[in-house]
Amino acid sequence: MSITEANRLEELSGSRFEVADGQPDVRQWEVEDLHGNKLGKVDDLLFNPASRRVRYLVVNLKGNRLGLSERKVLLPIGVAILHGKDDTVLLPEVSHMQINILPFYEKGVTVTPDMEQDIRNVFVTPGAYNDGNSDFYNHDQFNQERFYGLRYPGDNRV
């Protein structure tokens, strides 16, 4: 899928889709850094209905304990992982500075290719991922297996 198809993302809440049987519904789960600092909660999931792949976590930073601006942001699913046992989403390699420079997200706003590129550039040096592959989502930032890894080792959930 190319980035030009990015505007086909939908929020799971209010869509005709639901979390697949046997998969955790991470909405309303706490989001923490590896030091246990609360960053916010997962408000929703943005997914592509055609591929049925989750691309982003919508994270509400309200109530964070790090002085981050309280707003909703999009985090590519591959930058987060599920805690091995607790109902918590962890951000093992994401700095507070990266979260602070993410663009604001509002429910119902079309996610444009430029917005997705801006989000991606927060986590990767521009050009570092240009391997000639035209699939924007073929990158670790969008790797669902990494997200579910600790909870479901060896399980390739979609």
Side-chain angles (χ1 to χ4, degrees):
M1 173 182 305
S2 70
I3 192 169
T4 58
E5 297 176 74
N7 61 351
R8 295 192 181 145
L9 297 174
E10 290 183 26
E11 291 183 357
L12 183 61
S13 298
S15 76
R16 62 183 178 89
F17 293 88
E18 27 182 76
V19 175
D21 288 341
Q23 289 193 34
D25 186 347
V26 299
R27 291 174 291 181
Q28 301 309 309
W29 284 20
E30 296 285 335
V31 178
E32 297 179 353
D33 65 14
L34 285 181
H35 305 289
N37 295 312
K38 179 186 172 193
L39 302 171
K41 284 189 177 186
V42 178
D43 190 62
D44 212 337
L45 304 171
L46 276 186
F47 75 105
N48 179 283
S51 67
R52 295 185 182 194
R53 304 282 291 183
V54 174
R55 301 302 185 189
Y56 296 95
L57 303 171
V58 179
V59 177
N60 188 338
L61 299 175
K62 184 177 181 182
N64 74 79
R65 297 184 182 133
L66 298 169
L68 299 170
S69 180
E70 292 190 356
R71 67 194 194 283
K72 291 182 184 177
V73 296
L74 298 180
L75 287 169
I77 192 164
V79 303
I81 58 175
L82 296 181
H83 187 279
K85 296 177 184 165
D86 298 333
D87 290 349
T88 304
V89 175
L90 301 173
L91 303 178
E93 298 170 10
V94 177
S95 73
H96 304 149
M97 183 187 307
Q98 288 172 311
I99 294 170
N100 222 22
I101 61 175
L102 285 169
F104 288 58
Y105 173 76
E106 280 186 54
K107 182 177 182 69
V109 169
T110 300
V111 178
T112 65
D114 286 343
M115 183 178 182
E116 284 198 273
Q117 193 67 55
D118 289 346
I119 293 167
R120 186 174 190 168
N121 289 344
V122 168
F123 300 103
V124 182
T125 305
Y129 47 81
N130 188 2
D131 59 3
N133 188 336
S134 63
D135 187 349
F136 179 81
Y137 298 113
N138 186 20
H139 189 275
D140 281 344
Q141 288 183 6
F142 301 101
N143 184 342
Q144 287 186 184
E145 287 75 23
R146 179 175 180 201
F147 179 69
Y148 292 110
L150 290 177
R151 181 69 58 101
Y152 303 103
D155 189 355
N156 293 323
R157 295 184 180 269
V158 292

